[in-house]
Amino acid sequence: MASERIGELLVRENLISTEQLREAQKDQRSTGKRLAYSLTRLGILQESELTDFLSKQYGVPSITLDDFEIDPEVIELVPREVASKHVLIPVQRANNSLIVAMADPSNIYAIDDVKFMTSLHIEPVVSTDAAIEAAIERYYAPAKEVASYQEVLGDIELDDIEFEDNDDDDFSALDSQNEAEQAPVVKLCNLILVNAISKGASDIHIEPYEKSYRVRYRIDGVLHHEMNPPLKLKNAITSRFKIMSNLDIAERRLPQDGRIKIKLSKGREMDFRVSCLPTLYGEKIVLRLLDKENLQLDMTKLGFETEPLGDFKEAIHRPYGMCLVTGPTGSGKTTTLYSALSELNDDEVNISTAEDPVEFNLGGINQVQMHEDIGLNFAAALRSFLRQDPDIIMVGEIRDFETAEIGVKAALTGHMVLSTLHTNDAPSTVNRLLNMGVEPFLVTAAVNLIVAQRLARRICKDCKVPDTSITPEALIEAGMKPAEAKKCTPMKGKGCKTCSDSGYKGRVALYEVMVLKDPLKDLILQGASTGELKAEAIRLGMNTLRRSGLNKIHDGMTTLEEVLRVTAAD
């Protein structure tokens, strides 16, 4: 039974209201789970109410898993991967029958899977997603701990492995594939990926040099050295990652891009965006971790102060216009745009996005991957969107006049357009558009708001202590007002196991939100400089990136060192 059908029936039975259904559907889109999970997670329905309702609808008995003690021999009949995949758990065996608690007893594919695996007759009973997931955690043994790098490398007979140097004439794709599929090499590559996930890394850098081979993780925006695999494994590791991401292992002279998807415990999936770049001593591989579960779509938790957040929400909820997010690569622009789309995502609007690449799949949004090699670029996608009856359009990046021109025209003809640019701050974005060739009167008519952002490392909550080395004078020099500096108690992380002794855990965004009010529009039409626009925006109440950082210091979220690292003085 589809989630939409369950929701309609619950409303019809007066168990939930239409507003509660919409709230649960919105939560469902952000979590990627079933509607029933969202209904109990948000407290809209009690588990007992939901199981009674599902029991009637599916025509099968309901079960309260907390009341059962499941035999370990029964649990062994169905592997954890299958249980997590289909959200089910075996409960009891009676002769040739197996009672299986399921979140969706109408899923015949799941029933057939278990029937084929156990050779038993399956009798489904219904329970909630949350109860089944809790039972899976309770009864199945935790995943085996990952071996250490030393253990994996100990299995590799380095003396018995011969790899050719970077001589393309002697390169054999078949030999390289054989080497890449050796068990220890496979284990090592898997270990590199799993350790990156466990340490909360955002990127993995695998770099060959003349006499060394290096693996580094980017954690909270800063690269950390992880390990040095033996240089002789260079080609095998490269080939293994290429095989995993469906790339051509015989092509070593051109850059290539691919994707890896791996399944973890609890039904969790993780995507890696893979980029191979030929360098002087071999191919460098960079993997970007795309973890949908850690994607923060709640705007109030991103780092916005109250007033700028209000300005941003007001701008994106207008019926038409353009909202731009700017900043360097890795500054969190995509997350801010996705959070805006999540806020706007509703059954009543048509949302289309042009992305390069599509980083996360968002339910209810039409996402289009760019393919420059066949002519599908941002401008071409935008033109096509305008023939698709859109309400909201998101363009991954405005790179040229053609894309900017179509985006501006769309914003002026009744569409909300969200996009990004690479500029240093919000005021300089205006001149960037003008330099592309967009007329000043079009900029003032189309653009509602510009957001500039940076990411600063967040102080670890488990080892946060006052930083007595930071004087009020240092804060004043950074831009804080004297009265504020004297009252401020800067904090730091002294280092603990949680943050790997770095003092930082996670990141917080610093925002500069510039609303294009009439005085700013007048200055743009008069050809004002970036400095003049910035001074007027500050006079009108804009908090600069540095000011946002100083507020985060005052609130004990980050350190002066981090703010000085990611922001420039006003």
Side-chain angles (χ1 to χ4, degrees):
M1 191 184 300
S3 289
E4 293 82 2
R5 178 76 175 145
I6 289 176
E8 291 170 11
L9 291 170
L10 285 166
V11 172
R12 194 180 302 165
E13 295 283 328
N14 292 320
L15 289 170
I16 63 172
S17 66
T18 306
E19 291 72 23
Q20 288 174 322
L21 174 59
R22 284 184 184 146
E23 184 186 355
Q25 287 172 333
K26 188 174 182 180
D27 182 75
Q28 180 193 11
R29 285 193 288 267
S30 65
T31 62
K33 301 208 174 206
R34 289 156 42 84
L35 182 66
Y37 175 86
S38 293
L39 287 168
T40 54
R41 190 175 89 91
L42 296 173
I44 294 171
L45 277 179
Q46 296 297 318
E47 290 205 7
S48 57
E49 294 176 303
L50 186 57
T51 52
D52 289 346
F53 169 78
L54 293 173
S55 174
K56 290 175 187 173
Q57 295 303 322
Y58 287 117
V60 298
S62 64
I63 188 172
T64 305
L65 289 169
D66 287 344
D67 295 344
F68 275 80
E69 189 63 40
I70 305 175
D71 191 321
E73 290 184 3
V74 173
I75 290 292
E76 287 176 8
L77 292 171
V78 179
R80 179 176 184 142
E81 295 73 26
V82 175
S84 296
K85 177 184 175 184
H86 296 305
V87 196
L88 56 80
I89 190 167
V91 177
Q92 193 172 20
R93 178 177 180 176
N95 299 323
N96 290 326
S97 295
L98 180 66
I99 298 172
V100 178
M102 303 178 68
D104 180 7
S106 67
N107 187 345
I108 57 172
Y109 301 106
I111 293 172
D112 285 347
D113 261 10
V114 179
K115 185 176 182 179
F116 177 78
M117 190 175 298
T118 61
S119 301
L120 297 171
H121 173 68
I122 306 304
E123 294 184 15
V125 294
V126 70
S127 187
T128 63
D129 299 60
I132 292 172
E133 287 180 3
I136 289 172
E137 286 302 305
R138 177 182 169 193
Y139 288 107
Y140 284 95
K144 186 181 175 185
E145 285 193 16
V146 180
S148 67
Y149 289 117
Q150 290 73 22
E151 289 171 342
V152 172
L153 291 173
D155 293 336
I156 299 175
E157 307 258 339
L158 291 175
D159 293 337
D160 296 338
I161 299 176
E162 288 296 330
F163 296 115
E164 298 292 339
D165 291 333
N166 292 318
D167 185 351
D168 288 331
D169 293 337
D170 294 335
F171 175 76
S172 165
L174 182 60
D175 288 347
S176 186
Q177 182 166 341
N178 291 338
E179 291 154 359
E181 291 176 351
Q182 290 180 4
V185 172
V186 171
K187 283 183 186 176
L188 180 58
C189 292
N190 290 348
L191 185 54
I192 289 171
L193 299 180
V194 172
N195 273 358
I197 296 168
S198 66
K199 292 186 177 183
S202 60
D203 300 87
I204 306 169
H205 291 244
I206 303 168
E207 305 161 312
Y209 298 99
E210 184 178 11
K211 295 181 180 178
S212 64
Y213 197 36
R214 180 172 67 173
V215 176
R216 292 188 292 171
Y217 292 161
R218 187 178 294 281
I219 301 171
D220 295 335
V222 178
L223 281 167
H224 298 268
H225 180 268
E226 177 67 12
M227 69 170 297
N228 291 98
L231 191 57
K232 283 188 174 183
L233 292 181
K234 178 178 67 176
N235 288 347
I237 290 173
T238 300
S239 296
R240 176 60 192 164
F241 281 118
K242 282 186 169 184
I243 290 167
M244 293 172 77
S245 36
N246 294 316
L247 300 179
D248 182 2
I249 64 170
E251 179 55 74
R252 301 195 295 168
R253 297 167 299 173
L254 293 173
Q256 295 187 72
D257 295 300
R259 208 168 179 117
I260 296 172
K261 178 175 280 192
I262 64 173
K263 289 189 177 180
L264 306 170
S265 59
K266 306 177 191 175
R268 182 181 170 199
E269 289 186 346
M270 177 74 77
D271 279 12
F272 294 83
R273 200 174 77 210
V274 184
S275 173
C276 294
L277 179 71
T279 67
L280 191 60
Y281 296 106
E283 290 174 277
K284 174 178 176 176
I285 297 176
V286 175
L287 301 99
R288 164 67 56 90
L289 281 72
L290 306 172
D291 184 2
K292 187 174 181 179
E293 289 194 8
N294 285 336
L295 179 63
Q296 180 56 262
L297 297 178
D298 185 345
M299 286 192 185
T300 58
K301 296 177 182 175
L302 290 176
F304 277 109
E305 282 94 8
T306 307
E307 193 173 329
L309 177 59
D311 289 337
F312 185 55
K313 283 191 172 185
E314 191 272 331
I316 64 174
H317 278 286
R318 289 185 194 175
Y320 56 86
M322 182 179 274
C323 294
L324 300 172
V325 183
T326 78
T329 303
S331 60
K333 299 189 298 295
T334 301
T335 301
T336 299
L337 282 178
Y338 278 173
S339 67
L341 290 176
S342 178
E343 174 92 4
L344 296 167
N345 194 6
D346 191 272
D347 288 342
E348 297 173 359
V349 295
N350 174 25
I351 304 177
S352 296
T353 74
E355 302 175 59
D356 188 18
V358 175
E359 295 198 2
F360 297 98
N361 301 324
L362 301 175
I365 294 174
N366 308 293
Q367 296 173 273
V368 180
Q369 169 68 53
M370 298 300 93
H371 293 286
E372 289 276 355
D373 51 338
I374 59 170
L376 180 55
N377 54 24
F378 288 125
L382 255 178
R383 280 196 207 91
S384 182
F385 288 169
L386 293 174
R387 295 191 289 272
Q388 290 273 318
D389 183 30
D391 296 297
I392 298 161
I393 296 169
M394 192 269 268
V395 187
E397 185 185 342
I398 294 177
R399 297 174 180 168
D400 51 45
F401 170 69
E402 189 179 14
T403 309
E405 182 185 38
I406 301 167
V408 166
K409 285 179 179 176
L412 291 173
T413 53
H415 307 97
M416 171 52 63
V417 179
L418 307 174
S419 191
T420 71
L421 279 99
H422 286 273
T423 59
N424 289 327
D425 57 13
S428 62
T429 305
V430 172
N431 282 333
R432 176 85 178 101
L433 288 171
L434 297 177
N435 291 340
M436 281 183 182
V438 182
E439 294 290 343
F441 71 90
L442 290 176
V443 172
T444 57
V447 180
N448 294 341
L449 170 140
I450 301 169
V451 178
Q453 70 180 84
R454 297 290 187 278
L455 290 177
R457 287 184 290 175
R458 191 188 289 267
I459 298 170
C460 175
K461 293 178 182 177
D462 291 350
C463 60
K464 185 190 288 189
V465 294
D467 188 353
T468 54
S469 66
I470 304 297
T471 62
E473 289 72 25
L475 294 173
I476 293 167
E477 189 179 342
M480 196 176 280
K481 294 174 182 175
E484 187 184 0
K486 288 173 184 175
K487 294 179 183 177
C488 180
T489 305
M491 307 296 284
K492 68 174 182 179
K494 63 180 181 180
C496 65
K497 186 180 284 188
T498 304
C499 60
S500 302
D501 292 319
S502 67
Y504 298 101
K505 185 69 175 176
R507 287 187 285 179
V508 63
L510 313 181
Y511 286 102
E512 179 176 286
V513 178
M514 186 173 88
V515 183
L516 260 69
K517 297 178 181 176
D518 288 339
L520 282 171
K521 291 181 179 181
D522 292 340
L523 283 177
I524 293 168
L525 293 172
Q526 293 165 21
S529 67
T530 298
E532 291 170 321
L533 289 176
K534 185 171 184 176
E536 181 64 16
I538 292 171
R539 189 188 70 78
L540 292 170
M542 180 186 82
N543 271 350
T544 62
L545 286 166
R546 174 58 65 88
R547 182 70 245 173
S548 178
L550 293 172
N551 289 342
K552 299 294 190 297
I553 293 173
H554 186 274
D555 295 340
M557 292 185 187
T558 191
T559 63
L560 178 61
E561 176 189 15
E562 276 296 287
V563 171
L564 296 178
R565 181 177 71 86
V566 299
T567 66
D570 295 331

